[in-house]
Amino acid sequence: MRAFAERASRGIPQQKGTETVNSHRPTPKRRRGRFVCAVILAALCLAAFAPAGANAAFGVETFDGMVGDGSGGAYTQAGGHPYNASAVIAFNTHADPGLFGLQVPDADPKTIDVELPPGLIGNPGAVPRCAQVEFFSFIPVRKNGTNCPVESQIGVADIEILEGFHATSAVWNLDPMPGSPATFGFQVSGIRIVAEARLRSGSDYGVTLRFPNINQGVQIINSTTTLWGVPWDSAHDRQRCSFPNAFTPTQECEGTPGERAEGPNSVSGAPVPFITNPTACTAPGAGLNTKLSANSWQNPAVTEYAGFESHLPPGYPLPKESWGAPQGPNGCNRVPFQVEASVEATSNQADSPTGLRVNLHMPQDGLRDPGGIATAHLKDAVVTLPEGMAVNPAAADGLGSCSQAQIGLASEQPASCPESSKIGSVEITTPLLDHQLEGSVYLASQGDNKFGSLLAVYIAVDDPETGVVVKLPGRVTADPRTGRLTASFEGQPQLPFEDLAVEFYGGPRAALVNPPSCGAHTAELTFTPWSGGAPVGAGSSFQISRGPNGKPCPSGGFEPKLAAGTVNPVAGSYSPLQLALSREDGTQLLGGMSVRMPEGLLGRLAGIPYCPDSALAGIPGAEGSGAAELASPACPAASRLGTVSVGAGAGSNPLYVHTGRAYLAGPYKGAPLSIAIVTPAVAGPFDLGNVVVRTALRVDPETAQITAVSDPLPTVVHGIPLNLRDVRVEIDRREFTLNPTSCDPMTFSGEASSPAGTRVAIGDRFQVAGCERLAFKPKLALKLSGKTNRSAHPALRATLTMPQGGANIQRAQVTLPKTEFLAQEHIRTICTRVQYAAKSCPKASVYGYAKAWSPLLDKPLEGPVYLRSSSNPLPDLVASLDGQIHIDLSGRIDTKNARIRNTFDLVPDAPVSKFVLTMQGGRKGLLVNNTELCKAKPRADVKFDGQNGKTADSSPLVKVDCGKKRKGKGSKK
């Protein structure tokens, strides 16, 4: 070490063409702003002496380096090409008594890794390469000790192998070792040493030079390596030689005739830079870090570390205590930055699946010009796709995703993403390699990605030839209202590329969908350089010129189709109900619908609990919550009515999600009942949470017809446009949906709306069969109670019974016996239609009470009977029946042949097992006897029309309360 220290302290001048790497002359004030930068190559040389003792320690005494300007100062221009770069490594030594007290290393280095700062690059294509067979040949044909052509020399190495004894070698640019983008080598005393360049893919993408398994045949005290910034520069001609077997102090090659040297050797060709500074500038007072790790043959399990921060002279290569202030690259204002970009859809059809090509071109003329400055490396890239271009839900079918463990961003190993997660390809052209890099674009797993986001992608490149592994994460955000996509790639590697082409696959399952309209659509791009300059914005447009499937451009129409019906359309029987609303690509989106069911198509509510509002309110809509709802539904299973399937996405193969469930729920938005549709939006690799859509079930009080009115259908969920193409509801609960007992042609009718506010009528024909097989046997019993004498006002009780399984009543007419007149003097207050509609009839307008039992309901419907104003001469008799639903049974009162007649012209097609109507008597009675009832045997005339066309007419005897007369005065004993 004494010789090394003396040589370092002498401060030998360093000049162009006369390179002495251990330079340490006093630094003029004008040079103090320059810095000592990263290590390019940590060089070693071996001498043919015995290895160090087994008990010796191992360590690095000095590790330092600089990037020079050729005049003894540091070169600091960001993106510029220095004159040379030098590195010094000195190992711990001790005096060896067996070698006359000379200093020898404490141990022999085995493997050395030198981590260069990110952005400091070498171009192995700057000079020709020396073939491995030429480098390792032991029969050299050149006096430089190898067969390598002089054009492949990129520097010199000086190794002190014994105190005061040095060997000098040329450093050659070699054909790379398998799995390495670049390999350098030199030889000392016939021993070849190589350095393999590797990209730190798992961290900062800087270059690490690895010296693997250094030969133990020599002892190394220290080494100094100098690489040339522009190897073609004629200033290096005097060093285009080597000293493969010399044990002399380091000296430059003078070209003296003899065996020791061959030179000067000029080379011809265009000068191409080999070394380029980072294009990023450091903050004042900060430098760049170069790190070293090494182990020894004597103790390979123990790794020693060293490092230095680029700094001002003086200091190089003295201990840290004498270093100048840290300083990194500067002059970033001179670093150019230019990006040419284009974005183009692979399909020109609107509202259709499409691929996408993104091309970036960054001119790299500065990397090829020795006097130029390289283009700043790309730090951040943000691409916002045109409005309307969004994620295509159809892509989720069969799509996989890549987890953090599979991409391995912190690992230098290639990505192991599943093939099913591949959604595109990438091609990269860089001036540092002689071939194009190829890779893939993968979909990142939802939540399990670097950003914890719903959407993210990975660009992954694995080049086995060079060992280059690149893994770039990109966050994709979707506008929560429109679904417009923005992809952000931030903090990208400080590496140059000339062209980058990313293509997302097209086809029916393409990940993207084109905007819904023709015309020019523009993507917005923003690029930020590592040099710290202002971001550069750009726009790129492409044309959409056709409609879906090659048809003319969409006109913005809205033509949804409704298909509805029961699976088994047999009159009076239970059957699953199916309903589907669909639309074509290129039309307005589905926004909502209301459907009026055919008369008599009803549901049996008996025994079905409601899904509580509290349970529905607690169903989460957050990303990732759908799987839990699938595993453990919030609504009770007993309230389930059926399933819901949704077809989403553009193209001929929409994605069908079959996870929806329909549940019976309670009153909603003024309707007595509702259906809650709960759809866990889980498909492929995505879990968008849960979508809950309530559908109010309004019941026509006169016909019992059901109108289902849905809430607005979701169009965008967490930034993903659903692009609903088909909504299918199947009510398949056993014995729930009951067919009508009328076989007349009917329709499902209603209205569909779009988010744009367009409303159109929808409908589908419906008809059941088999009505003739239904029996129709209603039975009506009438009873007059109270006083039976003439002028008395009896109460009336009518009891209707119906056997199950037959046709329902369509029309009923009851003509009372001729013994009864209408007591018009008792008609007091009549409820107006306005009052009735407002449910504010006066109490005095109540004249009776009615109760109806149905097998469809748990409890009977019941309520008061009113006289309500009518357009007829006499008021109507209306039974207001309340319960789970509300029914108004309206009867028209008139007379025929002086007999009171009540006609129910519109009876709901609904099964009723029993119906009881009670009319008040006495002072509130509407009837008055015109004879003694017990002598008259009154009969009524009853006519029933069935929904199936059958009739049932009868003249039942009206029961009268004619008990034995009480014995009075003058009666016989």
Side-chain angles (χ1 to χ4, degrees), residues 284-307:
L288 296 174
N289 290 316
T290 302
K291 302 174 183 178
L292 178 144
S293 60
N295 63 358
S296 66
W297 285 102
Q298 286 76 9
N299 195 357
V302 176
T303 301
E304 297 293 327
Y305 299 93

PDB file of all heavy atoms in Angstrom, residues 284-307:
ATOM      1  N   PRO A 284     -28.107  20.947  -5.500  1.00  0.00           N
ATOM      2  CA  PRO A 284     -26.835  21.483  -4.997  1.00  0.00           C
ATOM      3  C   PRO A 284     -26.429  20.799  -3.697  1.00  0.00           C
ATOM      4  O   PRO A 284     -27.248  20.597  -2.800  1.00  0.00           O
ATOM      5  CB  PRO A 284     -27.132  22.964  -4.784  1.00  0.00           C
ATOM      6  CG  PRO A 284     -28.264  23.262  -5.711  1.00  0.00           C
ATOM      7  CD  PRO A 284     -29.081  22.016  -5.761  1.00  0.00           C
ATOM      8  N   GLY A 285     -25.166  20.415  -3.613  1.00  0.00           N
ATOM      9  CA  GLY A 285     -24.670  19.747  -2.417  1.00  0.00           C
ATOM     10  C   GLY A 285     -24.951  18.267  -2.387  1.00  0.00           C
ATOM     11  O   GLY A 285     -24.739  17.614  -1.361  1.00  0.00           O
ATOM     12  N   ALA A 286     -25.443  17.720  -3.491  1.00  0.00           N
ATOM     13  CA  ALA A 286     -25.721  16.285  -3.561  1.00  0.00           C
ATOM     14  C   ALA A 286     -24.957  15.687  -4.736  1.00  0.00           C
ATOM     15  O   ALA A 286     -24.763  16.337  -5.767  1.00  0.00           O
ATOM     16  CB  ALA A 286     -27.216  16.025  -3.721  1.00  0.00           C
ATOM     17  N   GLY A 287     -24.513  14.463  -4.550  1.00  0.00           N
ATOM     18  CA  GLY A 287     -23.801  13.780  -5.614  1.00  0.00           C
ATOM     19  C   GLY A 287     -24.492  12.495  -5.999  1.00  0.00           C
ATOM     20  O   GLY A 287     -25.641  12.260  -5.648  1.00  0.00           O
ATOM     21  N   LEU A 288     -23.786  11.673  -6.738  1.00  0.00           N
ATOM     22  CA  LEU A 288     -24.287  10.375  -7.151  1.00  0.00           C
ATOM     23  C   LEU A 288     -23.536   9.284  -6.400  1.00  0.00           C
ATOM     24  O   LEU A 288     -22.327   9.384  -6.187  1.00  0.00           O
ATOM     25  CB  LEU A 288     -24.100  10.173  -8.657  1.00  0.00           C
ATOM     26  CG  LEU A 288     -24.873  11.131  -9.562  1.00  0.00           C
ATOM     27  CD1 LEU A 288     -24.479  10.903 -11.012  1.00  0.00           C
ATOM     28  CD2 LEU A 288     -26.375  10.936  -9.393  1.00  0.00           C
ATOM     29  N   ASN A 289     -24.261   8.242  -6.034  1.00  0.00           N
ATOM     30  CA  ASN A 289     -23.664   7.172  -5.245  1.00  0.00           C
ATOM     31  C   ASN A 289     -23.239   6.011  -6.133  1.00  0.00           C
ATOM     32  O   ASN A 289     -23.990   5.564  -6.992  1.00  0.00           O
ATOM     33  CB  ASN A 289     -24.656   6.657  -4.195  1.00  0.00           C
ATOM     34  CG  ASN A 289     -24.896   7.669  -3.092  1.00  0.00           C
ATOM     35  OD1 ASN A 289     -23.956   8.279  -2.600  1.00  0.00           O
ATOM     36  ND2 ASN A 289     -26.157   7.852  -2.717  1.00  0.00           N
ATOM     37  N   THR A 290     -22.023   5.571  -5.882  1.00  0.00           N
ATOM     38  CA  THR A 290     -21.509   4.358  -6.504  1.00  0.00           C
ATOM     39  C   THR A 290     -21.200   3.383  -5.377  1.00  0.00           C
ATOM     40  O   THR A 290     -20.568   3.757  -4.390  1.00  0.00           O
ATOM     41  CB  THR A 290     -20.253   4.642  -7.327  1.00  0.00           C
ATOM     42  OG1 THR A 290     -20.564   5.611  -8.324  1.00  0.00           O
ATOM     43  CG2 THR A 290     -19.752   3.376  -7.982  1.00  0.00           C
ATOM     44  N   LYS A 291     -21.662   2.149  -5.531  1.00  0.00           N
ATOM     45  CA  LYS A 291     -21.542   1.182  -4.443  1.00  0.00           C
ATOM     46  C   LYS A 291     -20.728  -0.026  -4.902  1.00  0.00           C
ATOM     47  O   LYS A 291     -20.764  -0.413  -6.077  1.00  0.00           O
ATOM     48  CB  LYS A 291     -22.926   0.728  -3.977  1.00  0.00           C
ATOM     49  CG  LYS A 291     -23.821   1.859  -3.513  1.00  0.00           C
ATOM     50  CD  LYS A 291     -25.223   1.364  -3.197  1.00  0.00           C
ATOM     51  CE  LYS A 291     -26.142   2.508  -2.798  1.00  0.00           C
ATOM     52  NZ  LYS A 291     -27.520   2.043  -2.527  1.00  0.00           N
ATOM     53  N   LEU A 292     -20.022  -0.599  -3.945  1.00  0.00           N
ATOM     54  CA  LEU A 292     -19.224  -1.785  -4.215  1.00  0.00           C
ATOM     55  C   LEU A 292     -19.509  -2.823  -3.153  1.00  0.00           C
ATOM     56  O   LEU A 292     -19.654  -2.504  -1.972  1.00  0.00           O
ATOM     57  CB  LEU A 292     -17.725  -1.435  -4.238  1.00  0.00           C
ATOM     58  CG  LEU A 292     -16.737  -2.592  -4.453  1.00  0.00           C
ATOM     59  CD1 LEU A 292     -15.560  -2.105  -5.284  1.00  0.00           C
ATOM     60  CD2 LEU A 292     -16.224  -3.157  -3.123  1.00  0.00           C
ATOM     61  N   SER A 293     -19.599  -4.066  -3.580  1.00  0.00           N
ATOM     62  CA  SER A 293     -19.694  -5.188  -2.644  1.00  0.00           C
ATOM     63  C   SER A 293     -18.742  -6.267  -3.135  1.00  0.00           C
ATOM     64  O   SER A 293     -18.597  -6.487  -4.341  1.00  0.00           O
ATOM     65  CB  SER A 293     -21.125  -5.718  -2.554  1.00  0.00           C
ATOM     66  OG  SER A 293     -21.575  -6.168  -3.813  1.00  0.00           O
ATOM     67  N   ALA A 294     -18.053  -6.909  -2.203  1.00  0.00           N
ATOM     68  CA  ALA A 294     -17.064  -7.910  -2.577  1.00  0.00           C
ATOM     69  C   ALA A 294     -16.956  -8.957  -1.479  1.00  0.00           C
ATOM     70  O   ALA A 294     -17.188  -8.678  -0.302  1.00  0.00           O
ATOM     71  CB  ALA A 294     -15.709  -7.249  -2.824  1.00  0.00           C
ATOM     72  N   ASN A 295     -16.623 -10.175  -1.881  1.00  0.00           N
ATOM     73  CA  ASN A 295     -16.289 -11.216  -0.919  1.00  0.00           C
ATOM     74  C   ASN A 295     -14.947 -11.833  -1.304  1.00  0.00           C
ATOM     75  O   ASN A 295     -14.352 -11.479  -2.325  1.00  0.00           O
ATOM     76  CB  ASN A 295     -17.397 -12.267  -0.827  1.00  0.00           C
ATOM     77  CG  ASN A 295     -17.591 -13.016  -2.135  1.00  0.00           C
ATOM     78  OD1 ASN A 295     -16.932 -12.735  -3.130  1.00  0.00           O
ATOM     79  ND2 ASN A 295     -18.502 -13.973  -2.145  1.00  0.00           N
ATOM     80  N   SER A 296     -14.485 -12.722  -0.500  1.00  0.00           N
ATOM     81  CA  SER A 296     -13.157 -13.306  -0.726  1.00  0.00           C
ATOM     82  C   SER A 296     -13.259 -14.814  -0.856  1.00  0.00           C
ATOM     83  O   SER A 296     -14.231 -15.442  -0.429  1.00  0.00           O
ATOM     84  CB  SER A 296     -12.229 -12.940   0.434  1.00  0.00           C
ATOM     85  OG  SER A 296     -12.674 -13.556   1.643  1.00  0.00           O
ATOM     86  N   TRP A 297     -12.211 -15.378  -1.452  1.00  0.00           N
ATOM     87  CA  TRP A 297     -12.150 -16.830  -1.557  1.00  0.00           C
ATOM     88  C   TRP A 297     -11.988 -17.457  -0.174  1.00  0.00           C
ATOM     89  O   TRP A 297     -12.476 -18.554   0.069  1.00  0.00           O
ATOM     90  CB  TRP A 297     -10.977 -17.245  -2.455  1.00  0.00           C
ATOM     91  CG  TRP A 297     -11.252 -17.019  -3.906  1.00  0.00           C
ATOM     92  CD1 TRP A 297     -10.800 -15.998  -4.674  1.00  0.00           C
ATOM     93  CD2 TRP A 297     -12.041 -17.852  -4.754  1.00  0.00           C
ATOM     94  NE1 TRP A 297     -11.260 -16.106  -5.960  1.00  0.00           N
ATOM     95  CE2 TRP A 297     -12.030 -17.264  -6.040  1.00  0.00           C
ATOM     96  CE3 TRP A 297     -12.767 -19.029  -4.573  1.00  0.00           C
ATOM     97  CZ2 TRP A 297     -12.704 -17.811  -7.127  1.00  0.00           C
ATOM     98  CZ3 TRP A 297     -13.426 -19.581  -5.659  1.00  0.00           C
ATOM     99  CH2 TRP A 297     -13.401 -18.980  -6.918  1.00  0.00           C
ATOM    100  N   GLN A 298     -11.287 -16.741   0.721  1.00  0.00           N
ATOM    101  CA  GLN A 298     -11.050 -17.308   2.035  1.00  0.00           C
ATOM    102  C   GLN A 298     -12.326 -17.363   2.873  1.00  0.00           C
ATOM    103  O   GLN A 298     -12.497 -18.251   3.704  1.00  0.00           O
ATOM    104  CB  GLN A 298      -9.968 -16.492   2.779  1.00  0.00           C
ATOM    105  CG  GLN A 298      -8.555 -16.725   2.266  1.00  0.00           C
ATOM    106  CD  GLN A 298      -8.293 -16.010   0.949  1.00  0.00           C
ATOM    107  OE1 GLN A 298      -9.105 -15.209   0.511  1.00  0.00           O
ATOM    108  NE2 GLN A 298      -7.162 -16.319   0.310  1.00  0.00           N
ATOM    109  N   ASN A 299     -13.240 -16.411   2.665  1.00  0.00           N
ATOM    110  CA  ASN A 299     -14.479 -16.376   3.446  1.00  0.00           C
ATOM    111  C   ASN A 299     -15.610 -15.860   2.551  1.00  0.00           C
ATOM    112  O   ASN A 299     -16.062 -14.727   2.697  1.00  0.00           O
ATOM    113  CB  ASN A 299     -14.308 -15.483   4.681  1.00  0.00           C
ATOM    114  CG  ASN A 299     -15.420 -15.699   5.705  1.00  0.00           C
ATOM    115  OD1 ASN A 299     -16.350 -16.483   5.476  1.00  0.00           O
ATOM    116  ND2 ASN A 299     -15.333 -15.017   6.828  1.00  0.00           N
ATOM    117  N   PRO A 300     -16.085 -16.680   1.594  1.00  0.00           N
ATOM    118  CA  PRO A 300     -17.071 -16.183   0.621  1.00  0.00           C
ATOM    119  C   PRO A 300     -18.425 -15.823   1.221  1.00  0.00           C
ATOM    120  O   PRO A 300     -19.203 -15.109   0.599  1.00  0.00           O
ATOM    121  CB  PRO A 300     -17.199 -17.365  -0.350  1.00  0.00           C
ATOM    122  CG  PRO A 300     -16.760 -18.566   0.427  1.00  0.00           C
ATOM    123  CD  PRO A 300     -15.707 -18.077   1.373  1.00  0.00           C
ATOM    124  N   ALA A 301     -18.720 -16.288   2.437  1.00  0.00           N
ATOM    125  CA  ALA A 301     -20.021 -15.985   3.038  1.00  0.00           C
ATOM    126  C   ALA A 301     -20.106 -14.575   3.586  1.00  0.00           C
ATOM    127  O   ALA A 301     -21.187 -14.096   3.909  1.00  0.00           O
ATOM    128  CB  ALA A 301     -20.328 -16.995   4.148  1.00  0.00           C
ATOM    129  N   VAL A 302     -18.963 -13.907   3.717  1.00  0.00           N
ATOM    130  CA  VAL A 302     -18.933 -12.558   4.280  1.00  0.00           C
ATOM    131  C   VAL A 302     -18.724 -11.564   3.149  1.00  0.00           C
ATOM    132  O   VAL A 302     -17.773 -11.696   2.370  1.00  0.00           O
ATOM    133  CB  VAL A 302     -17.828 -12.416   5.342  1.00  0.00           C
ATOM    134  CG1 VAL A 302     -17.760 -10.969   5.845  1.00  0.00           C
ATOM    135  CG2 VAL A 302     -18.079 -13.379   6.486  1.00  0.00           C
ATOM    136  N   THR A 303     -19.614 -10.594   3.056  1.00  0.00           N
ATOM    137  CA  THR A 303     -19.535  -9.573   2.010  1.00  0.00           C
ATOM    138  C   THR A 303     -19.126  -8.243   2.627  1.00  0.00           C
ATOM    139  O   THR A 303     -19.675  -7.828   3.657  1.00  0.00           O
ATOM    140  CB  THR A 303     -20.876  -9.410   1.295  1.00  0.00           C
ATOM    141  OG1 THR A 303     -21.248 -10.663   0.707  1.00  0.00           O
ATOM    142  CG2 THR A 303     -20.785  -8.366   0.194  1.00  0.00           C
ATOM    143  N   GLU A 304     -18.140  -7.597   1.999  1.00  0.00           N
ATOM    144  CA  GLU A 304     -17.689  -6.277   2.422  1.00  0.00           C
ATOM    145  C   GLU A 304     -18.278  -5.236   1.477  1.00  0.00           C
ATOM    146  O   GLU A 304     -18.448  -5.480   0.281  1.00  0.00           O
ATOM    147  CB  GLU A 304     -16.159  -6.204   2.398  1.00  0.00           C
ATOM    148  CG  GLU A 304     -15.477  -7.153   3.364  1.00  0.00           C
ATOM    149  CD  GLU A 304     -15.739  -6.774   4.806  1.00  0.00           C
ATOM    150  OE1 GLU A 304     -15.870  -5.572   5.100  1.00  0.00           O
ATOM    151  OE2 GLU A 304     -15.844  -7.693   5.648  1.00  0.00           O
ATOM    152  N   TYR A 305     -18.586  -4.058   2.046  1.00  0.00           N
ATOM    153  CA  TYR A 305     -19.230  -3.008   1.268  1.00  0.00           C
ATOM    154  C   TYR A 305     -18.401  -1.734   1.315  1.00  0.00           C
ATOM    155  O   TYR A 305     -17.715  -1.441   2.318  1.00  0.00           O
ATOM    156  CB  TYR A 305     -20.632  -2.724   1.803  1.00  0.00           C
ATOM    157  CG  TYR A 305     -21.550  -3.912   1.736  1.00  0.00           C
ATOM    158  CD1 TYR A 305     -21.685  -4.788   2.818  1.00  0.00           C
ATOM    159  CD2 TYR A 305     -22.278  -4.174   0.580  1.00  0.00           C
ATOM    160  CE1 TYR A 305     -22.522  -5.880   2.747  1.00  0.00           C
ATOM    161  CE2 TYR A 305     -23.134  -5.275   0.519  1.00  0.00           C
ATOM    162  CZ  TYR A 305     -23.240  -6.122   1.602  1.00  0.00           C
ATOM    163  OH  TYR A 305     -24.068  -7.203   1.527  1.00  0.00           O
ATOM    164  N   ALA A 306     -18.501  -0.980   0.243  1.00  0.00           N
ATOM    165  CA  ALA A 306     -17.856   0.332   0.176  1.00  0.00           C
ATOM    166  C   ALA A 306     -18.641   1.183  -0.809  1.00  0.00           C
ATOM    167  O   ALA A 306     -19.478   0.670  -1.574  1.00  0.00           O
ATOM    168  CB  ALA A 306     -16.397   0.196  -0.246  1.00  0.00           C
ATOM    169  N   GLY A 307     -18.381   2.452  -0.809  1.00  0.00           N
ATOM    170  CA  GLY A 307     -19.076   3.335  -1.731  1.00  0.00           C
ATOM    171  C   GLY A 307     -18.524   4.737  -1.642  1.00  0.00           C
ATOM    172  O   GLY A 307     -17.782   5.090  -0.726  1.00  0.00           O
TER     173      GLY A 307
END
